[in-house]
């Protein structure tokens, strides 16, 4: 475990520290410890800085250029409800049988949702019914290709991602449009959660 760039290496360091704590302090006790990894998540209500989808929504609202880095970088895009559903399943399993379910778990999208930054920006522009001007900026070195293999979560937890990246982006855009017209966002959010719960795998 490691990484050729500082960001990836920092994630690897956290995993190693967590594993060490589990082995040193929790192995023979009653505390279950697991690491859960997700892809590049987005969804309605995310206002974080330097994240592609929130940056796009802010730029669109302000009619300002969208600044992106590494347009050819490939990332595992997913709606935030995907890994959250996995985390809840994992938490229940840890409570029921911590020894069996401790360790590392991936909750990533299917291979069809692993897309370039450029693809995601173009889809957002098309789906949002308008045009946006975007420009590239140089950033510190980071991995070109990132993806997650979630076979362990599928086999041991019965977890499978439900929404393709297109569906996830459409719901994020519809959430934002509802916010802009003053809709009751608790109702909108609850409705999307309920939709996710009954969705078939897309």
């Amino acid at each position: 475990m490691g990484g050729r760039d500082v960001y990836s290496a920092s994630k690897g360091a956290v995993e190693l520290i967590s594993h060490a704590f589990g082995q040193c302090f929790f192995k023979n006790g009653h505390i279950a410890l697991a690491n859960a990894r997700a892809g590049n998540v987005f969804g309605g209500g995310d206002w974080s800085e330097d994240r592609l989808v929130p940056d796009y929504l802010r730029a669109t609202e302000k009619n300002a250029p969208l600044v992106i880095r590494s347009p050819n970088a490939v990332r595992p895009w997913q709606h935030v409800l995907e890994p959250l559903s996995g985390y809840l399943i994992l938490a229940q399993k840890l409570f029921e049988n911590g020894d069996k379910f401790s360790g590392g778990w991936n909750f990533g999208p299917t291979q069809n949702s692993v897309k370039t930054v450029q693809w995601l920006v173009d889809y957002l522009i098309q789906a949002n019914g308008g045009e946006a001007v975007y420009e590239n900026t140089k950033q510190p070195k980071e991995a070109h290709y990132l993806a997650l293999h979630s076979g362990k979560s599928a086999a041991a937890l019965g977890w499978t991602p439900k929404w393709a990246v297109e569906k996830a982006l459409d719901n994020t855009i519809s959430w934002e449009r509802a916010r802009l017209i003053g809709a009751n966002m608790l109702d909108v959010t609850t409705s999307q959660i309920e939709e996710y719960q009954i969705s078939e795998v897309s």
Side-chain angles (χ1 to χ4, degrees):
M1 183 178 295
R4 295 183 178 181
D5 59 276
V6 173
Y7 179 65
S8 298
S10 69
K11 288 189 172 185
V14 170
E15 297 269 355
L16 291 170
I17 291 170
S18 176
H19 178 73
F21 264 87
Q23 293 298 307
C24 291
F25 303 113
F26 305 144
K27 191 169 182 63
N28 298 316
H30 301 288
I31 298 176
L33 180 63
N35 296 319
R37 315 174 192 101
N40 287 48
V41 300
F42 54 84
D46 180 3
W47 315 121
S48 301
E49 298 285 341
D50 297 321
R51 288 165 55 79
L52 184 56
V53 176
D55 286 349
Y56 165 79
L57 294 173
R58 275 190 293 268
T60 301
E61 187 175 356
K62 297 176 182 178
N63 197 27
L66 170 66
V67 178
I68 64 173
R69 64 181 189 271
S70 306
N72 296 319
V74 179
R75 297 292 182 264
W77 308 102
Q78 62 185 153
H79 196 279
V80 67
L81 292 178
E82 299 280 21
L84 286 180
S85 69
Y87 298 166
L88 290 172
I89 295 171
L90 176 58
Q92 179 178 347
K93 297 294 187 182
L94 288 169
F95 178 77
E96 294 170 349
N97 191 347
D99 290 341
K100 181 179 179 181
F101 293 96
S102 294
W105 299 86
N106 290 343
F107 299 98
T110 64
Q111 187 61 37
N112 291 337
S113 293
V114 179
K115 306 284 189 181
T116 65
V117 169
Q118 184 73 67
W119 182 94
L120 198 81
V121 172
D122 289 342
Y123 186 91
L124 284 167
I125 292 171
Q126 181 181 10
N128 208 24
E131 297 183 0
V133 176
Y134 56 88
E135 55 191 42
N136 300 335
T137 183
K138 292 184 177 180
Q139 292 290 330
K141 179 178 175 59
E142 58 183 341
H144 171 73
Y145 182 91
L146 293 177
L148 291 172
H149 185 271
S150 303
K152 176 183 174 183
S153 296
L157 301 177
W159 177 87
T160 306
K162 293 183 176 182
W163 285 352
V165 62
E166 294 88 349
K167 173 70 172 176
L169 289 169
D170 290 345
N171 274 11
T172 303
I173 290 171
S174 67
W175 193 99
E176 180 66 7
R177 286 176 176 168
R179 184 188 71 86
L180 291 174
I181 63 173
N184 183 316
M185 298 317 297
L186 177 59
D187 290 344
V188 174
T189 303
T190 301
S191 176
Q192 289 198 352
I193 293 172
E194 291 172 347
E195 178 187 0
Y196 178 81
Q197 289 176 317
I198 64 174
S199 292
E200 301 292 335
V201 176
S202 59

PDB file of all heavy atoms in Angstrom, residues 86-106:
ATOM      1  N   GLY A  86     -23.436   1.357   1.944  1.00  0.00           N
ATOM      2  CA  GLY A  86     -22.445   0.343   2.297  1.00  0.00           C
ATOM      3  C   GLY A  86     -21.925   0.507   3.710  1.00  0.00           C
ATOM      4  O   GLY A  86     -21.744  -0.487   4.435  1.00  0.00           O
ATOM      5  N   TYR A  87     -21.693   1.748   4.113  1.00  0.00           N
ATOM      6  CA  TYR A  87     -21.211   1.993   5.476  1.00  0.00           C
ATOM      7  C   TYR A  87     -22.203   1.486   6.519  1.00  0.00           C
ATOM      8  O   TYR A  87     -21.812   0.931   7.555  1.00  0.00           O
ATOM      9  CB  TYR A  87     -20.983   3.499   5.708  1.00  0.00           C
ATOM     10  CG  TYR A  87     -19.945   4.152   4.830  1.00  0.00           C
ATOM     11  CD1 TYR A  87     -19.872   5.542   4.742  1.00  0.00           C
ATOM     12  CD2 TYR A  87     -19.038   3.403   4.090  1.00  0.00           C
ATOM     13  CE1 TYR A  87     -18.925   6.155   3.950  1.00  0.00           C
ATOM     14  CE2 TYR A  87     -18.096   4.014   3.288  1.00  0.00           C
ATOM     15  CZ  TYR A  87     -18.042   5.394   3.218  1.00  0.00           C
ATOM     16  OH  TYR A  87     -17.106   6.021   2.423  1.00  0.00           O
ATOM     17  N   LEU A  88     -23.494   1.696   6.254  1.00  0.00           N
ATOM     18  CA  LEU A  88     -24.510   1.265   7.211  1.00  0.00           C
ATOM     19  C   LEU A  88     -24.564  -0.256   7.310  1.00  0.00           C
ATOM     20  O   LEU A  88     -24.704  -0.810   8.414  1.00  0.00           O
ATOM     21  CB  LEU A  88     -25.874   1.826   6.803  1.00  0.00           C
ATOM     22  CG  LEU A  88     -26.047   3.340   6.954  1.00  0.00           C
ATOM     23  CD1 LEU A  88     -27.357   3.798   6.331  1.00  0.00           C
ATOM     24  CD2 LEU A  88     -25.973   3.750   8.417  1.00  0.00           C
ATOM     25  N   ILE A  89     -24.451  -0.919   6.166  1.00  0.00           N
ATOM     26  CA  ILE A  89     -24.415  -2.380   6.199  1.00  0.00           C
ATOM     27  C   ILE A  89     -23.196  -2.863   6.961  1.00  0.00           C
ATOM     28  O   ILE A  89     -23.273  -3.767   7.808  1.00  0.00           O
ATOM     29  CB  ILE A  89     -24.416  -2.949   4.763  1.00  0.00           C
ATOM     30  CG1 ILE A  89     -25.724  -2.607   4.050  1.00  0.00           C
ATOM     31  CG2 ILE A  89     -24.188  -4.465   4.786  1.00  0.00           C
ATOM     32  CD1 ILE A  89     -25.717  -2.930   2.562  1.00  0.00           C
ATOM     33  N   LEU A  90     -22.039  -2.253   6.672  1.00  0.00           N
ATOM     34  CA  LEU A  90     -20.803  -2.642   7.348  1.00  0.00           C
ATOM     35  C   LEU A  90     -20.892  -2.403   8.847  1.00  0.00           C
ATOM     36  O   LEU A  90     -20.456  -3.245   9.649  1.00  0.00           O
ATOM     37  CB  LEU A  90     -19.628  -1.865   6.753  1.00  0.00           C
ATOM     38  CG  LEU A  90     -18.264  -2.089   7.406  1.00  0.00           C
ATOM     39  CD1 LEU A  90     -17.867  -3.560   7.375  1.00  0.00           C
ATOM     40  CD2 LEU A  90     -17.206  -1.222   6.736  1.00  0.00           C
ATOM     41  N   ALA A  91     -21.441  -1.264   9.257  1.00  0.00           N
ATOM     42  CA  ALA A  91     -21.576  -0.967  10.685  1.00  0.00           C
ATOM     43  C   ALA A  91     -22.423  -2.028  11.397  1.00  0.00           C
ATOM     44  O   ALA A  91     -22.094  -2.471  12.509  1.00  0.00           O
ATOM     45  CB  ALA A  91     -22.193   0.420  10.878  1.00  0.00           C
ATOM     46  N   GLN A  92     -23.507  -2.445  10.758  1.00  0.00           N
ATOM     47  CA  GLN A  92     -24.351  -3.488  11.350  1.00  0.00           C
ATOM     48  C   GLN A  92     -23.579  -4.796  11.479  1.00  0.00           C
ATOM     49  O   GLN A  92     -23.640  -5.479  12.511  1.00  0.00           O
ATOM     50  CB  GLN A  92     -25.599  -3.695  10.499  1.00  0.00           C
ATOM     51  CG  GLN A  92     -26.523  -4.781  11.048  1.00  0.00           C
ATOM     52  CD  GLN A  92     -27.780  -4.958  10.219  1.00  0.00           C
ATOM     53  OE1 GLN A  92     -28.101  -4.133   9.374  1.00  0.00           O
ATOM     54  NE2 GLN A  92     -28.490  -6.044  10.446  1.00  0.00           N
ATOM     55  N   LYS A  93     -22.826  -5.160  10.437  1.00  0.00           N
ATOM     56  CA  LYS A  93     -22.053  -6.398  10.464  1.00  0.00           C
ATOM     57  C   LYS A  93     -20.960  -6.343  11.528  1.00  0.00           C
ATOM     58  O   LYS A  93     -20.683  -7.351  12.212  1.00  0.00           O
ATOM     59  CB  LYS A  93     -21.441  -6.666   9.094  1.00  0.00           C
ATOM     60  CG  LYS A  93     -22.449  -6.889   7.980  1.00  0.00           C
ATOM     61  CD  LYS A  93     -23.253  -8.162   8.188  1.00  0.00           C
ATOM     62  CE  LYS A  93     -24.134  -8.460   6.989  1.00  0.00           C
ATOM     63  NZ  LYS A  93     -24.961  -9.678   7.175  1.00  0.00           N
ATOM     64  N   LEU A  94     -20.333  -5.193  11.690  1.00  0.00           N
ATOM     65  CA  LEU A  94     -19.308  -5.048  12.725  1.00  0.00           C
ATOM     66  C   LEU A  94     -19.912  -5.219  14.116  1.00  0.00           C
ATOM     67  O   LEU A  94     -19.293  -5.803  15.006  1.00  0.00           O
ATOM     68  CB  LEU A  94     -18.633  -3.676  12.609  1.00  0.00           C
ATOM     69  CG  LEU A  94     -17.688  -3.483  11.430  1.00  0.00           C
ATOM     70  CD1 LEU A  94     -17.318  -2.006  11.290  1.00  0.00           C
ATOM     71  CD2 LEU A  94     -16.426  -4.317  11.596  1.00  0.00           C
ATOM     72  N   PHE A  95     -21.105  -4.696  14.294  1.00  0.00           N
ATOM     73  CA  PHE A  95     -21.788  -4.824  15.578  1.00  0.00           C
ATOM     74  C   PHE A  95     -22.133  -6.284  15.856  1.00  0.00           C
ATOM     75  O   PHE A  95     -22.012  -6.772  16.978  1.00  0.00           O
ATOM     76  CB  PHE A  95     -23.054  -3.975  15.585  1.00  0.00           C
ATOM     77  CG  PHE A  95     -23.860  -4.083  16.844  1.00  0.00           C
ATOM     78  CD1 PHE A  95     -23.469  -3.423  18.001  1.00  0.00           C
ATOM     79  CD2 PHE A  95     -25.013  -4.861  16.879  1.00  0.00           C
ATOM     80  CE1 PHE A  95     -24.210  -3.538  19.173  1.00  0.00           C
ATOM     81  CE2 PHE A  95     -25.757  -4.978  18.042  1.00  0.00           C
ATOM     82  CZ  PHE A  95     -25.350  -4.316  19.190  1.00  0.00           C
ATOM     83  N   GLU A  96     -22.547  -6.994  14.826  1.00  0.00           N
ATOM     84  CA  GLU A  96     -22.985  -8.374  14.996  1.00  0.00           C
ATOM     85  C   GLU A  96     -21.825  -9.368  15.095  1.00  0.00           C
ATOM     86  O   GLU A  96     -21.896 -10.345  15.839  1.00  0.00           O
ATOM     87  CB  GLU A  96     -23.890  -8.759  13.819  1.00  0.00           C
ATOM     88  CG  GLU A  96     -25.205  -7.996  13.790  1.00  0.00           C
ATOM     89  CD  GLU A  96     -25.984  -8.213  12.503  1.00  0.00           C
ATOM     90  OE1 GLU A  96     -25.415  -8.780  11.555  1.00  0.00           O
ATOM     91  OE2 GLU A  96     -27.165  -7.807  12.452  1.00  0.00           O
ATOM     92  N   ASN A  97     -20.770  -9.097  14.320  1.00  0.00           N
ATOM     93  CA  ASN A  97     -19.651 -10.047  14.265  1.00  0.00           C
ATOM     94  C   ASN A  97     -18.384  -9.310  13.862  1.00  0.00           C
ATOM     95  O   ASN A  97     -17.889  -9.433  12.739  1.00  0.00           O
ATOM     96  CB  ASN A  97     -19.961 -11.173  13.275  1.00  0.00           C
ATOM     97  CG  ASN A  97     -18.971 -12.311  13.368  1.00  0.00           C
ATOM     98  OD1 ASN A  97     -17.917 -12.189  13.990  1.00  0.00           O
ATOM     99  ND2 ASN A  97     -19.300 -13.426  12.734  1.00  0.00           N
ATOM    100  N   GLY A  98     -17.845  -8.520  14.801  1.00  0.00           N
ATOM    101  CA  GLY A  98     -16.716  -7.650  14.504  1.00  0.00           C
ATOM    102  C   GLY A  98     -15.476  -8.384  14.038  1.00  0.00           C
ATOM    103  O   GLY A  98     -14.759  -7.914  13.151  1.00  0.00           O
ATOM    104  N   ASP A  99     -15.190  -9.543  14.615  1.00  0.00           N
ATOM    105  CA  ASP A  99     -13.990 -10.278  14.218  1.00  0.00           C
ATOM    106  C   ASP A  99     -14.005 -10.643  12.746  1.00  0.00           C
ATOM    107  O   ASP A  99     -12.982 -10.620  12.062  1.00  0.00           O
ATOM    108  CB  ASP A  99     -13.853 -11.552  15.059  1.00  0.00           C
ATOM    109  CG  ASP A  99     -13.488 -11.257  16.513  1.00  0.00           C
ATOM    110  OD1 ASP A  99     -12.996 -10.141  16.772  1.00  0.00           O
ATOM    111  OD2 ASP A  99     -13.714 -12.126  17.365  1.00  0.00           O
ATOM    112  N   LYS A 100     -15.154 -10.976  12.243  1.00  0.00           N
ATOM    113  CA  LYS A 100     -15.274 -11.409  10.855  1.00  0.00           C
ATOM    114  C   LYS A 100     -15.228 -10.250   9.878  1.00  0.00           C
ATOM    115  O   LYS A 100     -14.709 -10.391   8.754  1.00  0.00           O
ATOM    116  CB  LYS A 100     -16.572 -12.199  10.673  1.00  0.00           C
ATOM    117  CG  LYS A 100     -16.781 -12.721   9.265  1.00  0.00           C
ATOM    118  CD  LYS A 100     -18.071 -13.526   9.170  1.00  0.00           C
ATOM    119  CE  LYS A 100     -18.299 -14.022   7.739  1.00  0.00           C
ATOM    120  NZ  LYS A 100     -19.563 -14.795   7.630  1.00  0.00           N
ATOM    121  N   PHE A 101     -15.736  -9.095  10.278  1.00  0.00           N
ATOM    122  CA  PHE A 101     -15.901  -8.004   9.323  1.00  0.00           C
ATOM    123  C   PHE A 101     -14.936  -6.843   9.534  1.00  0.00           C
ATOM    124  O   PHE A 101     -15.030  -5.837   8.829  1.00  0.00           O
ATOM    125  CB  PHE A 101     -17.351  -7.505   9.352  1.00  0.00           C
ATOM    126  CG  PHE A 101     -18.321  -8.523   8.839  1.00  0.00           C
ATOM    127  CD1 PHE A 101     -19.012  -9.359   9.721  1.00  0.00           C
ATOM    128  CD2 PHE A 101     -18.523  -8.697   7.484  1.00  0.00           C
ATOM    129  CE1 PHE A 101     -19.893 -10.318   9.246  1.00  0.00           C
ATOM    130  CE2 PHE A 101     -19.403  -9.650   7.007  1.00  0.00           C
ATOM    131  CZ  PHE A 101     -20.098 -10.467   7.891  1.00  0.00           C
ATOM    132  N   SER A 102     -14.020  -6.946  10.476  1.00  0.00           N
ATOM    133  CA  SER A 102     -12.990  -5.930  10.617  1.00  0.00           C
ATOM    134  C   SER A 102     -12.064  -5.974   9.401  1.00  0.00           C
ATOM    135  O   SER A 102     -11.961  -6.995   8.720  1.00  0.00           O
ATOM    136  CB  SER A 102     -12.184  -6.163  11.900  1.00  0.00           C
ATOM    137  OG  SER A 102     -12.986  -5.966  13.047  1.00  0.00           O
ATOM    138  N   GLY A 103     -11.401  -4.843   9.143  1.00  0.00           N
ATOM    139  CA  GLY A 103     -10.491  -4.793   8.001  1.00  0.00           C
ATOM    140  C   GLY A 103     -10.889  -3.726   7.006  1.00  0.00           C
ATOM    141  O   GLY A 103     -11.613  -2.785   7.334  1.00  0.00           O
ATOM    142  N   GLY A 104     -10.404  -3.849   5.781  1.00  0.00           N
ATOM    143  CA  GLY A 104     -10.646  -2.844   4.758  1.00  0.00           C
ATOM    144  C   GLY A 104     -11.753  -3.240   3.788  1.00  0.00           C
ATOM    145  O   GLY A 104     -11.877  -4.406   3.411  1.00  0.00           O
ATOM    146  N   TRP A 105     -12.558  -2.244   3.417  1.00  0.00           N
ATOM    147  CA  TRP A 105     -13.694  -2.480   2.520  1.00  0.00           C
ATOM    148  C   TRP A 105     -13.783  -1.364   1.491  1.00  0.00           C
ATOM    149  O   TRP A 105     -13.632  -0.180   1.828  1.00  0.00           O
ATOM    150  CB  TRP A 105     -15.010  -2.538   3.307  1.00  0.00           C
ATOM    151  CG  TRP A 105     -15.039  -3.637   4.313  1.00  0.00           C
ATOM    152  CD1 TRP A 105     -14.556  -3.595   5.604  1.00  0.00           C
ATOM    153  CD2 TRP A 105     -15.553  -4.954   4.120  1.00  0.00           C
ATOM    154  NE1 TRP A 105     -14.748  -4.801   6.212  1.00  0.00           N
ATOM    155  CE2 TRP A 105     -15.354  -5.658   5.328  1.00  0.00           C
ATOM    156  CE3 TRP A 105     -16.166  -5.612   3.060  1.00  0.00           C
ATOM    157  CZ2 TRP A 105     -15.750  -6.987   5.505  1.00  0.00           C
ATOM    158  CZ3 TRP A 105     -16.565  -6.918   3.211  1.00  0.00           C
ATOM    159  CH2 TRP A 105     -16.359  -7.604   4.433  1.00  0.00           C
ATOM    160  N   ASN A 106     -14.056  -1.728   0.251  1.00  0.00           N
ATOM    161  CA  ASN A 106     -14.260  -0.755  -0.820  1.00  0.00           C
ATOM    162  C   ASN A 106     -15.737  -0.666  -1.175  1.00  0.00           C
ATOM    163  O   ASN A 106     -16.419  -1.692  -1.296  1.00  0.00           O
ATOM    164  CB  ASN A 106     -13.476  -1.157  -2.079  1.00  0.00           C
ATOM    165  CG  ASN A 106     -11.984  -1.015  -1.908  1.00  0.00           C
ATOM    166  OD1 ASN A 106     -11.503  -0.341  -1.004  1.00  0.00           O
ATOM    167  ND2 ASN A 106     -11.229  -1.660  -2.781  1.00  0.00           N
TER     168      ASN A 106
END
